């Protein structure tokens, strides 16, 4: 059994550990800044280090559980958690995660040469990358289009989907008091399944769960973010157990991610207070698109290892380095923009405080 559990673990030296901590730190800043789990950056980053995709997803969803626990508690204090809505979505989301774990595990066992010392898994790496590229391209383009539109017209989230669904009679309906909406149970269950499936496949369920609550259910943005974190707490725990029983959770990676992300998330959360919302959405959309490009560059490696295309295996190093370079370009660029605004806001507040103290309006 120990050989089975540890056979897919990579050797972690100081350089690798440092890179995982940096991935957690940048992912934490992005997570605090945009309110997602940051998995869209950390999962492909770990795959670039030679960690099998299924192991990267399993370790990341375990890391997600702790962060969701902290985040949902904070949102709950502000009254931003609709527990009834989250509980209604939980059942099917757990089914979605179970399906995702089964597909990822099966594809990993089917094999294909892996690109790291964790071995195997070209089929699951290709599957995870394909879902990642397809879903996040749609999310990024929608986010950029919505941000540019609302920035020009000052509009809130679109209600087109909510109005379309409300024209169809789909009983039974449930009233959600905290969210102040009435939604068909069938629509809630379907969205819960989709959120769980994507959380279990690529670790980014929040990118579907939050937009679904806002654009499909009509839930206010703050309540959607808080309720999704509450839901993510259960999905993270279930996903962690599910992947752990398959031997696909490396707790060392999870702890290293925490080491970086718990610092980064506070910096990112402060950035939300000092950066305009439209800028947040534009920066987020651009970062996600570059991350998608990074994954797309790695795809030829998996296709070659499955025997679907042919080229010199030595080129794999160049594809992997190019993919890693693009990913860090996205993460570091986003981090610099956020840190620049955080430092700028801090200096402005300090200058104002000094001026008020000099004028005698505040005690020293």
């Amino acid at each position: 059994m120990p050989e089975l559990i540890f056979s897919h673990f990579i050797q972690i030296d100081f350089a690798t550990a440092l890179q995982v901590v940096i991935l957690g730190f940048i992912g934490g800043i992005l997570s605090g800044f945009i309110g997602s789990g940051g998995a869209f950056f950390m999962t492909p980053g770990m795959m670039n280090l030679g960690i099998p995709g299924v192991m990267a997803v399993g370790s990341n969803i375990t890391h997600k559980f702790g962060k969701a626990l902290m985040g949902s508690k904070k949102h709950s204090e502000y009254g931003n958690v609709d527990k009834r809505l989250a509980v209604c979505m939980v059942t099917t989301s757990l089914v979605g995660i179970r399906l995702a774990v089964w597909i990822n595990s099966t594809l990993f066992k089917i094999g294909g040469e892996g690109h790291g010392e964790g071995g195997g898994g070209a089929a699951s790496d290709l599957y995870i990358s394909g879902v990642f590229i397809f879903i996040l391209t749609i999310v990024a383009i929608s986010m950029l289009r919505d941000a540019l539109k609302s920035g020009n017209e000052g509009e809130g989230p679109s209600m087109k989907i909510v109005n379309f669904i409300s024209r169809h009679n789909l009983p039974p309906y449930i009233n959600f008091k905290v969210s102040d909406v009435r939604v068909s149970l069938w629509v809630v269950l379907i969205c819960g399944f989709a959120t769980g499936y994507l959380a279990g496949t690529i670790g980014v369920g929040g990118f579907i769960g939050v937009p679904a609550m806002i654009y499909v259910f009509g839930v206010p943005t703050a309540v959607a973010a808080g309720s999704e974190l509450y839901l993510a707490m259960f999905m993270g725990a279930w996903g962690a157990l599910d992947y752990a029983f398959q031997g696909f959770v490396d707790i060392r990676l999870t702890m290293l991610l925490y080491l970086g992300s718990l610092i980064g998330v506070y910096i990112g959360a402060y950035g939300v207070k000092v950066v305009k919302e439209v800028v947040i959405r534009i920066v987020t959309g651009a970062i996600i698109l570059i991350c998608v490009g990074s994954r797309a560059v790695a795809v030829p490696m998996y296709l070659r290892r499955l025997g679907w295309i042919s080229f010199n295996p030595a080129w794999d190093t160049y594809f992997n380095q190019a993919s890693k370079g693009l990913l860090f370009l996205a993460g570091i660029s986003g981090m610099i923009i956020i840190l620049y605004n955080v430092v700028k806001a801090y200096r402005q507040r300090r200058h104002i405080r000094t001026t008020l103290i000099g004028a005698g309006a505040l005690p020293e």
Side-chain angles (χ1 to χ4, degrees):
M1 180 63 80
E3 290 78 8
L4 175 64
I5 292 175
F6 299 121
S7 60
H8 306 305
F9 285 20
I10 67 164
Q11 181 69 33
I12 299 181
D13 55 20
F14 179 76
T16 304
L18 184 61
Q19 289 183 73
V20 176
V21 172
I22 292 173
L23 284 173
F25 179 67
I26 296 175
I29 289 180
L30 297 175
S31 171
F33 189 64
I34 65 180
S36 80
F40 71 92
F41 180 78
M42 293 184 280
T43 297
M46 286 192 282
M47 292 173 73
N48 286 137
L49 294 176
I51 299 165
V54 64
M55 183 72 77
V57 173
S59 302
N60 198 32
I61 203 168
T62 306
H63 160 260
K64 180 179 183 175
F65 165 67
K67 284 206 316 180
L69 185 68
M70 294 172 57
S72 65
K73 182 176 181 299
K74 199 67 183 174
H75 273 280
S76 186
E77 292 172 2
Y78 295 128
N80 290 336
V81 175
D82 192 327
K83 293 182 180 178
R84 190 175 192 183
L85 174 60
V87 168
C88 285
M89 295 178 73
V90 159
T91 308
T92 48
S93 71
L94 299 187
V95 175
I97 288 177
R98 185 70 198 93
L99 176 65
V101 173
W102 179 78
I103 293 174
N104 274 348
S105 304
T106 303
L107 288 174
F108 184 84
K109 290 166 186 169
I110 287 173
E113 177 193 354
H115 71 94
E117 60 188 272
S124 66
D125 286 351
L126 179 63
Y127 170 69
I128 291 168
S129 298
V131 175
F132 186 97
I133 292 167
F134 177 72
I135 295 297
L136 291 191
T137 297
I138 295 173
V139 169
I141 291 174
S142 302
M143 190 176 287
L144 285 171
R145 190 174 59 182
D146 192 51
L148 294 173
K149 186 179 176 183
S150 62
N152 291 332
E153 300 175 10
E155 295 177 351
S158 170
M159 299 297 286
K160 287 181 181 176
I161 300 177
V162 178
N163 294 334
F164 173 79
I165 293 175
S166 67
R167 289 198 291 269
H168 298 78
N169 187 28
L170 299 169
Y173 284 88
I174 302 178
N175 289 309
F176 299 104
K177 291 183 180 177
V178 177
S179 303
D180 193 24
V181 294
R182 180 174 175 267
V183 189
S184 166
L185 176 63
W186 301 111
V187 177
V188 173
L189 294 179
I190 290 170
C191 290
F193 176 81
T195 303
Y197 170 72
L198 288 172
T201 302
I202 53 178
V204 295
F207 273 125
I208 296 299
V210 173
M213 290 183 195
I214 296 172
Y215 295 106
V216 180
F217 303 164
V219 175
T221 303
V223 177
S227 302
E228 201 285 329
L229 279 172
Y230 189 76
L231 174 64
M233 189 172 61
F234 295 97
M235 293 196 301
W238 176 253
L241 284 173
D242 225 340
Y243 272 115
F245 274 110
Q246 301 288 331
F248 293 130
V249 173
D250 187 339
I251 198 67
R252 301 171 303 166
L253 295 173
T254 303
M255 292 297 109
L256 289 169
L257 287 175
Y258 272 129
L259 196 60
S261 67
L262 292 182
I263 300 171
V265 73
Y266 280 100
I267 299 174
Y270 183 77
V272 174
K273 298 177 183 176
V274 297
V275 181
K276 291 181 181 177
E277 185 179 345
V278 66
V279 176
I280 293 174
R281 281 190 278 172
I282 290 173
V283 170
T284 304
I287 290 172
I288 293 173
L289 271 185
I290 300 176
C291 289
V292 166
S294 161
R295 257 315 71 209
V297 169
V299 166
M301 290 191 303
Y302 309 133
L303 294 175
R304 184 196 66 75
R305 285 162 181 159
L306 287 167
W308 295 356
I309 61 173
S310 176
F311 58 80
N312 189 336
W315 290 10
D316 283 4
T317 302
Y318 301 114
F319 281 115
N320 192 50
Q321 291 301 322
S323 174
K324 186 191 286 188
L326 267 177
L327 185 77
F328 274 92
L329 171 68
I332 292 173
S333 300
M335 183 181 69
I336 289 173
I337 291 172
I338 296 165
L339 290 178
Y340 169 77
N341 282 282
V342 167
V343 172
K344 183 180 173 184
Y346 175 78
R347 293 182 66 179
Q348 285 175 341
R349 290 187 180 189
R350 190 174 176 183
H351 176 71
I352 292 171
R353 178 178 172 78
T354 304
T355 303
L356 291 173
I357 290 174
L362 283 177
E364 291 187 16

